Amino acid sequence: MRTQVAIIGGGPSGLLLSQLLHRKGIDTVVLERKTRDYVLGRIRAGVLETGFVDLMREAGVAERMDAECIIHDGTVIAFGEKQFRIDFREATGESVVIYGQTELTRDLYDAREAVGGKIVFNVEDVVIHGADTDAPHLTYSVDGAEKRIDCEFVAGCDGFHGVSRQTIPLNVRREYEKVYPFGWLGLLSDTPPVHEELIYSNSERGFALCSQRSWTRSRYYIQCSLSDHVEDWTDQMFWNELRRRLPQDVAERLVTGKSIEKSIAPLRSFVTEPMRWGRLFLCGDAAHIVPPTGAKGLNTAASDIHYLYHGLLQYYEEGDSEGIDRYSEKALARIWKAERFSWSTTNLLHRFPDQNGFDLKMQKADIDFLRENREAQSVFAQNYVGLPF
Ligand code: APR
Ligand code: PHB
């Protein structure tokens, strides 16, 4: 088989890039390790920056999102019983779009399949050959049969545990990591959200987040110990702890119900540099991970896809390699700012095991300043809605 851009990974990054390139007549093949249903079974965040929404529109995959999404002009931050709202629209003129990653990925799959996009599921043993040459190729197997794809470029969209990042030699790669001493226990329920916008809460018992997928489906998180196991938490235990971490007026109006999904995720910050090696380009979780506090996971994937898509367009339409040559530099410049925002909001809103009295006073002073200072709220809002590409 031969294609112009071979894409490893059928998650949001790989599918969005494939659909965008298809719309410009650039041929791609997506290799996905799992099945479509398995990929769609992953429960992930759903806060989209306007830049992501614009990309979905350019990809021609925004119809259902536009019809079903919820627009948020701000968010609420609580510190104990004190709450305040940060008004994104007043500070930036922008909002964020609430639309679940599962639905967004489903829309991308539907769009690819509607035009006969080439997606190979259940692939195994993907190996990238000659990434540092002008004629890379992939080998892989499916149903026990060995396969080969010759291509002009490889997009490594295969997530944190994929093969792409590992293909870049250790003497070329530089990795930066911070692991946080707690996790997030998340619960999905078919109950009405407790508030029309998100509520991020820093309580003496730890962090909590009230989010949503629709007006009838809610997503909640509480900070938990890394030694916790999801089977240790009954639904009732979760709801009771969540209530303890919310301001009283919020806790009193919380509607609880049976969990559809419940899981624990660890928190880490991680970045690989460079994000390009020869004709291999890393995108999304293959190159970087953020703690979910700043809702940047999906949005940093879209950030990379924006730069790689435009770089490949410049190459194929104008014969100019400037965009792909500067891909790593441009993508990382925006990624590091998203990493900083995600790291700073995680430090602002969580209780750390080793925090002493002074540390707590610093955290309180940070939140008090954010509550009282319009410029500080504007900085938060600019980062939350998404910095310019
Ligand atoms: N071969 C083929 N496919 C692979 C391989 C491999 N060796 N390794 C991983 N994959 C697939 C995974 O099965 C997954 O479907 O690559 C896809 C990577 O998707 P994601 O992990 O979702 O990463 P990305 O597309 O960059 O999207 C980032 O997803 O994990 C969330 O919080 C993250 O919201 C962010 C978004
Ligand atoms: C979610 O809805 O899953 C979500 C929202 C905002 C975050 C993290 C997760 O910061």
Side-chain angles (χ1 to χ4, degrees), residues 9 11-13 31-33 42 44 101 157-158 162 284-285 297-298:
S13 297
L31 299 183
E32 167 52 51
R33 179 167 60 180
R42 294 177 183 136
R44 294 279 165 68
Q101 178 171 320
C157 301
D158 47 348
D285 277 16
L298 199 48

Side-chain angles (χ1 to χ4, degrees), residues 72 76 83 189-201 208-221 239 242-243 245-256:
H72 281 187
V76 172
Q83 309 171 52
S189 59
D190 276 334
T191 55
V194 72
H195 191 58
E196 64 264 20
E197 293 176 333
L198 272 55
I199 300 176
Y200 291 84
S201 176
L209 170 60
C210 302
S211 184
Q212 58 198 240
R213 292 291 177 271
S214 68
W215 293 122
T216 59
R217 178 165 286 191
S218 299
R219 180 68 167 165
Y220 294 103
Y221 297 94
W239 294 122
L242 176 63
R243 280 201 183 91
R245 299 190 186 189
L246 298 173
Q248 189 175 345
D249 68 306
V250 178
E252 284 170 357
R253 62 176 192 262
L254 181 68
V255 177
T256 66

